[in-house]
Amino acid sequence: MDILSALIIFFVGLIVSVMGTLIGGSSLFTIPVLILLGLPPHTAIGTDRFGIMGICSAGWYQFHKKKMINYPIGNTLAVPVLIGAFIGANIVFEVSESILKLIIIIISVLSLLFLILDPTRGIQGQRRSINRQDYLVGALLTFMVGVYVGFYGAMGGTLLLYILVFWFGQTFLESAGTLKIAALAMNAMASVVFAVNGAVNYYLALPMFCGCFIGSYVGAHYSDRIGNVWIKRLFIFLLFVLILKLAISSL
């Protein structure tokens, strides 16, 4: 690895994390770039998990200052997603990639339809009391996201956003803040497992972390100026890209 590779992943992390901190999807770009820079797929995933923690940590700090984090929900989801990430990182060779892609396509298409058919979803919070059953179901869904993030990770933050918007009725801005708690937990756990197995390239992971940290700090800082309406539009665009990418790769 040379200094050019480190600079490339720094700037890629910087650019994609500006919006990634609001709608997720950064790993859709960073993992392929890491592979193009010469890393084996599993090392690219492990390195990405380490670097993405820059988004989680800077975003958490900024959204906390803006009081946009629901800590009861965030803390409840952090534990199951951490356990799921540990399991997922340890079964990376056991899961069928084709089945996983099909599940994500179905979830994404349904989410896209709901967002288009319900203009207020994610823009106006769906205010309601949250009971124990809501937390339990949310924890189960988050656990499954954690398993997925453990062995791949791309769109993990976006899947957490699904849960917060559709199940807990948060706005996009609220969910962008709240998911940082669970996202940091699952990425940290996955990073540890990959590191123990020697699948993290720190020469690229560290500059990626720095780039993601700076980009996330900027994106979260200006999040309220962007607003829920534009974040929803960007999120719908990202869903189109995700569905198209997975559909093409499954052919």
Side-chain angles (χ1 to χ4, degrees), residues 154-177:
M155 300 298 292
T158 306
L159 294 175
L160 287 176
L161 191 146
Y162 287 169
I163 297 170
L164 292 169
V165 170
F166 290 106
W167 186 254
F168 289 103
Q170 291 195 313
T171 65
F172 279 98
L173 279 172
E174 290 170 339
S175 63

Side-chain angles (χ1 to χ4, degrees), residues 165-194:
V165 170
F166 290 106
W167 186 254
F168 289 103
Q170 291 195 313
T171 65
F172 279 98
L173 279 172
E174 290 170 339
S175 63
T178 302
L179 70 82
K180 294 298 181 290
I181 304 175
L184 183 59
M186 67 184 183
N187 285 313
M189 174 57 73
S191 296
V192 169
V193 175
F194 277 99

Side-chain angles (χ1 to χ4, degrees), residues 19 26 33 42 54 58 72 86 88 131 181 184 199 203 205 208 219 229:
M19 293 311 303
S26 299
V33 169
H42 292 104
F86 175 79
N131 55 40
I181 304 175
L184 183 59
Y203 188 86
M208 180 180 165
V229 173

Side-chain angles (χ1 to χ4, degrees), residues 65-80:
K65 288 201 306 180
K66 294 174 179 289
K67 302 185 185 301
M68 290 182 179
I69 297 179
N70 186 314
Y71 279 97
I73 295 177
N75 292 334
T76 299
L77 303 186
V79 175

Side-chain angles (χ1 to χ4, degrees), residues 5-14 30 33-34 37 204 207-208:
S5 297
L7 287 174
I8 289 173
I9 197 59
F10 170 83
F11 283 108
V12 169
L14 175 67
T30 51
V33 169
L34 288 167
L37 291 176
L204 295 180
M208 180 180 165

